[in-house]
Amino acid sequence: MPDTDVGPAGSPDRAAHVDREADTMIQMLTPEGERPEPTGAALEYAAYVEDVTDDDLRGMYRDMVIVRRFDAEATALQRQGELGLWASLLGQEAAQVGSGRALRPQDFAYPTYREHGVAWCRGVPPTALLGLYRGASLGGWDPAEHGFALYTIVIGSQTLHATGYAMGVQRDHAVGTGEPDRDAAVIAYLGDGATSQGDVSEALVFSAVYNAPVVFFCQNNQWAISEPNTRQTRVPLFKRSSGFGIPGVRVDGNDVLATLAVTRAATERARSGGGPTFVEAYTYRMGAHTTSDDPSRYRIAAEVEEWKLKDPIARVKAYLARSGAADEDFFAEVEAEAKQIATELRVTCRALPDPPPESMFDDVYAEPHAVLDAEREEYLAYRAGFADDTEEVRT
């Protein structure tokens, strides 16, 4: 049944539809924080997290708490005029930390503009992200150093960049060698709204035809700004990739353990030469699309309250507490650390220097470029003339 025919959020028909769809969704940690024996589709992926220890789970919990605190601080900074804009990840911490932790050092990630949790996992300083949204830099980090490309604002275009890079990895013979430190995977992050873009379809075509080592990690947060997912597609997103010859899988995007397992499986498939995979991480954007958006104008409060019960951090905390893997002292330490990081970040962000305007010409090309050099000189001459005019007015 197409999603458009199942009724509004909260209706019995939609609830039944969601229950049927849940049968195909990989989940390993329930919203109540229970870790049941894997059954059904989850059995296939259970082996990918057999080595996950309590210490690993505590680490993932710590990552998610810090990222959420950082995200809240960035939102506050924007409200106070310190940032031009901010795209919150609230509610999507598990999808990003789980997939980010599945990557190896030689892998490469292509984000949109919301992958703050993946950036954290790849070692990108949070200040660098704030510098971009403050207008103090054009990126602020070295993509090669972190295996993490610069944020992409143009919806879906990064999937083409990822596919091209993955084809390059193939030609560098860094796929299917069996060497754990050599074989590499590429992961392209995208949202549900991006699947309606032509660029994404082209990326799926090329990656399938060339069997490129790329994972398309789609965070289906249910809303493409104000457009609900039900108006974007007639079938679940993960089923659309089969038309391109790419296997698709749906995972509970609020389950960090399941997300880790599915991403590990997909990236290992890519590294071994198995080709692309499409992952739909079923999650929810609990905040606004960006700080320029007011979601109360297009979605009902009951829907948000329903998803709060599936909070990705609360379920890990419940599991750690129930299993005895963590106590109140641990949770308090993590909260204190997150608060300290946010405090330091606020100070650092406000102290970021304004860059000289002509720096917009920097880092466009790897090598000197005659046209760009001429444009820079023309701009400098223009600015110098403006300064003279200002001086004349003063005198």
Side-chain angles (χ1 to χ4, degrees), residues 32-362:
E32 294 76 26
E34 296 175 344
R35 190 175 177 180
E37 286 295 320
T39 59
L43 266 176
E44 180 184 346
Y45 296 94
Y48 290 94
V49 288
E50 282 182 344
D51 63 336
V52 172
T53 64
D54 286 345
D55 192 45
D56 293 328
L57 278 171
R58 285 192 293 269
M60 287 186 272
Y61 173 81
R62 172 183 173 272
D63 285 348
M64 290 193 289
V65 170
I66 289 175
V67 167
R68 177 171 290 188
R69 186 66 183 82
F70 153 59
D71 183 70
E73 194 66 32
T75 300
L77 283 167
Q78 195 282 329
R79 297 303 189 203
Q80 295 164 15
E82 299 293 345
L83 302 180
L85 184 74
W86 183 251
S88 172
L89 62 50
L90 183 61
Q92 299 177 217
E93 295 88 350
Q96 297 193 13
V97 170
S99 61
R101 276 183 167 251
L103 303 179
R104 293 179 182 171
Q106 70 269 29
D107 294 337
F108 208 101
Y110 282 83
T112 63
Y113 45 79
R114 200 190 300 277
E115 273 66 55
H116 319 315
V118 186
W120 172 262
C121 292
R122 300 301 282 176
V124 176
T127 308
L129 304 180
L130 296 187
L132 176 66
Y133 280 97
R134 187 178 171 85
S137 79
L138 296 175
W141 63 89
D142 181 354
E145 178 185 355
H146 300 284
F148 188 78
L150 300 181
Y151 274 3
T152 304
I153 304 298
V154 179
I155 303 300
S157 63
Q158 76 282 358
T159 59
L160 286 171
H161 307 158
T163 300
Y165 187 92
M167 292 168 64
V169 169
Q170 276 181 318
R171 283 146 185 78
D172 287 341
H173 307 291
V175 176
T177 69
E179 300 178 36
D181 296 331
R182 177 177 175 79
D183 291 339
V186 180
I187 185 167
Y189 288 89
L190 65 154
D192 48 282
T195 61
S196 300
Q197 292 286 344
D199 281 1
V200 175
S201 292
E202 292 166 12
L204 293 171
V205 167
F206 268 75
S207 63
V209 170
Y210 286 94
N211 207 41
V214 57
V215 176
F216 296 95
F217 191 91
C218 175
Q219 293 171 83
N220 177 3
N221 65 18
Q222 313 302 318
W223 290 91
I225 309 182
S226 60
E227 194 73 1
N229 183 269
T230 50
R231 291 183 183 172
Q232 299 178 62
T233 178
R234 300 288 289 182
V235 298
L237 295 178
F238 76 101
K239 292 183 178 178
R240 296 178 69 180
S241 65
S242 64
F244 295 89
I246 298 175
V249 58
R250 174 181 272 185
V251 62
D252 182 346
N254 284 15
D255 177 350
V256 70
L257 196 59
T259 305
L260 174 69
V262 168
T263 311
R264 279 182 172 178
T267 51
E268 285 191 17
R269 181 171 182 272
R271 294 187 200 102
S272 66
T277 302
F278 187 96
V279 177
E280 178 190 0
Y282 201 77
T283 181
Y284 191 73
R285 191 192 76 213
M286 294 173 70
H289 173 68
T290 69
T291 46
S292 64
D293 171 45
D294 177 8
S296 68
R297 296 175 64 87
Y298 55 78
R299 70 183 185 190
I300 59 176
E303 180 181 299
V304 181
E305 294 302 315
E306 178 183 335
W307 277 91
K308 283 183 179 178
L309 299 176
K310 306 172 186 176
D311 187 284
I313 297 178
R315 72 173 67 183
V316 180
K317 184 176 183 179
Y319 172 77
L320 291 173
R322 183 178 291 117
S323 66
D327 56 20
E328 288 303 319
D329 288 344
F330 167 77
F331 296 128
E333 288 172 6
V334 171
E335 290 292 339
E337 182 185 9
K339 183 178 180 180
Q340 181 62 29
I341 290 174
T343 301
E344 294 172 358
L345 198 60
R346 167 175 289 272
V347 174
T348 307
C349 176
R350 285 175 164 168
L352 286 173
D354 290 336
E358 61 270 23
S359 66
M360 64 181 170
F361 295 98
D362 296 343

